[in-house]
Amino acid sequence: SGSEGMKPQELAHRMNVYLDAMTQVIQSRLGTLDKYIGDAVMAFWGAPVPDSLHACNAIQAALEMQHAVRGLAPTFAAKGWPALQIGIGINTGTMTVGDMGSTIRKAYTVLGDPVNLASRLEGITKNYGVGIVVGEETCKAATMFTYRELDRVRVKGKGEPVGIFEPLGAPAEVCQAELDELALWPQALRLYREQDWDQAERLLAELSHLSPQRALYPIYAKRIVNCRANPPGEGWDGVTTFATK
């Protein structure tokens, strides 16, 4: 997060300002703060108090956390601190929750495969140039948001591929320019998966013209170059495999 060269006291102050802002958002959206891991924040929804809108609240918190980071930018710039960029991963599933640890120290936390996948999704946000990545189960549980499908992936430690999505906000919050992109993008994704490289490339170029700042389209254009050089073959399922955490 660009903290190299900062004095320890200044780094601690910067971290506290950031973590305070993130924690306030999580708690305002009924999230349970689990722990801080360096500059990472782990939180979960639905326990200890049941929450039927757990997925919705988690996504709303993620969107508001990104907004809060942008709101901190002037303060950070005024102090000469490096700018913040955060990646957020969200996943939904059944997990074990309760006091866990050792006889010496216990903590109220969650364990299970869905937790591990959420961590993997956070780790791959940078691979798609996005701030938030959510799993398909979260999308199914929070249909009130507009999403951009990013990919189908296999992550380390999980054999089955999962769909990953970027939440854009409530439908009324999505501008017309982005809606125009969203109308074209599924076609480009389908053509890519069908190995129709030429047509996929044409649509990607059109999308890049509509949104030059979006990293997703050049990422797929580069994949197509690689696929032409190394054709994936008949049995290809269009899934991207991540071998590392």
Side-chain angles (χ1 to χ4, degrees):
S1 55
S3 57
E4 295 86 356
M6 290 181 70
K7 293 177 181 176
Q9 280 184 314
E10 192 177 25
L11 178 57
H13 182 38
R14 175 179 181 260
M15 185 86 79
N16 289 343
V17 170
Y18 155 66
L19 291 175
D20 187 51
M22 298 302 99
T23 305
Q24 284 183 35
V25 171
I26 289 165
Q27 292 186 335
S28 75
R29 286 293 170 182
L30 308 181
T32 299
L33 175 69
D34 187 313
K35 60 176 76 76
Y36 301 124
I37 312 162
D39 59 0
V41 184
M42 180 174 168
F44 54 88
W45 277 256
V49 180
D51 177 10
S52 60
L53 295 174
H54 52 85
C56 171
N57 282 323
I59 289 176
Q60 195 61 50
L63 292 165
E64 290 173 13
M65 286 165 76
Q66 290 289 0
H67 181 74
V69 165
R70 291 191 289 273
L72 288 173
T75 302
F76 275 49
K79 292 180 178 291
W81 292 348
L84 277 173
Q85 277 191 309
I86 66 168
I88 301 171
I90 303 174
N91 191 41
T92 299
T94 303
M95 55 204 82
T96 303
V97 60
D99 290 324
M100 295 174 225
S102 66
T103 52
I104 297 165
R105 182 175 181 179
K106 284 183 168 60
Y108 185 72
T109 188
V110 286
L111 289 176
D113 192 48
V115 184
N116 299 334
L117 180 54
S119 175
R120 300 289 186 268
L121 298 185
E122 181 274 322
I124 63 175
T125 52
K126 56 185 176 292
N127 292 88
Y128 295 90
V130 298
I132 308 169
V133 170
V134 308
E136 58 191 271
E137 292 304 317
T138 305
C139 285
K140 291 175 188 172
T143 55
M144 63 287 293
F145 294 101
T146 297
Y147 298 92
R148 177 184 289 110
E149 184 178 359
L150 297 172
D151 206 352
R152 284 180 58 72
V153 302
R154 280 190 195 85
V155 296
K156 187 175 173 63
K158 189 170 176 68
E160 285 298 306
V162 293
I164 60 170
F165 301 80
E166 177 191 13
L168 305 178
E173 297 168 346
V174 183
C175 67
Q176 188 57 49
E178 198 144 37
L179 289 173
D180 291 343
E181 282 184 66
L182 286 174
L184 285 177
W185 171 239
Q187 300 173 50
L189 207 49
R190 176 178 56 79
L191 290 164
Y192 165 77
R193 288 169 178 165
E194 291 173 357
Q195 302 188 47
D196 189 341
W197 312 130
D198 293 348
Q199 291 295 337
E201 230 170 20
R202 182 184 63 77
L203 266 182
L204 286 168
E206 193 175 335
L207 285 160
S208 288
H209 180 72
L210 287 173
S211 184
Q213 82 286 355
R214 198 168 312 289
L216 190 62
Y217 309 139
I219 287 167
Y220 270 87
K222 187 176 178 182
R223 284 186 185 179
I224 288 173
V225 171
N226 291 334
C227 285
R228 275 207 186 97
N230 304 284
E234 285 290 317
W236 186 57
D237 55 8
V239 173
T240 304
T241 299
F242 289 94
T244 61
K245 294 183 181 181

